[in-house]
Structure formats: structure tokens, C-alpha cells
Amino acid sequence: MKIDVDAIPSAMAIQCLPMGLATKTETYAVVDSVIKLIEESGLSYEVGPFETVVEGPLPRLLELAGQMHRRMLEAGIGTAASYIKLWSGTDLGSSEEKVGKYRK
């Protein structure tokens, strides 16, 4: 039996770190440009202080992760790090379902 991987709910937690910038302002500007890519993707997402969670089809999440990492390098960053956690499963549950009750 062939499994339709695109139909399995998936979530990605990603932290993009532009390394070696002199100020927080410079760092935040690069991170903001990366988050803009997520906004433009049309996928459901939630920005956190250390990582952003994005929900969608696995192939699209993997493509977006590559675009995000590339965006940092295109900004002229000497070293860029992306930390990625991926989850996929038929009973995954949404971010809203998991943390909505804790939001003010």
C-alpha cells in the first residue's frame, strides 16, 4: 500500500541563527526577513522567542526550511545555523489545540 505523505499532518519547529553579527539590531533584521518568508508562505505558523512552529504538508515545510536558511546566507551572513524539528502523524494535533488554552 502506497502512503500519501502529503496527506499526513506535519509540523516543523525551526530556529534560524545568523552568526557573527555585531548587534542585536542586525541579528533581528535578518531574523525578521526570514519570518517574512513564513508569512508569505500562507502556512499556519506561530513565532516564539526561540523558534517558530509552522504547520503544513511535509514537502512544503522542507522547501520553506531551505528558503529560510538560504535567506540568511543571501543577507551576507558569514555563518548561518538552522535548527529544525519535524513531526508528522495522523493524530498530530495543531499548535492551537496544544497551547491555545495558555494564551492570554
Side-chain angles (χ1 to χ4, degrees), residues 1 6 9 12-13 16 21 23 25-26 28 40 43 47 49 58 60 65-68 75 78 80 90 93 96:
M1 173 171 73
D6 294 352
M12 169 180 72
C16 293
L21 296 172
T23 67
T25 302
E26 291 174 310
Y28 292 167
E40 293 169 353
L43 297 172
V47 176
L58 181 59
R60 185 64 188 106
Q67 292 169 342
M68 294 166 68
T90 55
E96 177 61 30

Side-chain angles (χ1 to χ4, degrees), residues 18-72:
M19 309 299 280
L21 296 172
T23 67
K24 284 194 293 187
T25 302
E26 291 174 310
T27 301
Y28 292 167
V30 174
V31 171
D32 287 344
S33 73
V34 169
I35 292 171
K36 181 84 171 150
L37 284 172
I38 300 170
E39 291 172 352
E40 293 169 353
S41 75
L43 297 172
S44 176
Y45 70 96
E46 182 172 343
V47 176
F50 295 103
E51 66 186 12
T52 297
V53 176
V54 187
E55 298 169 339
L58 181 59
R60 185 64 188 106
L61 295 177
L62 295 172
E63 177 185 13
L64 180 60
Q67 292 169 342
M68 294 166 68
H69 193 81
R70 185 179 189 92
R71 172 68 57 96
M72 288 190 292

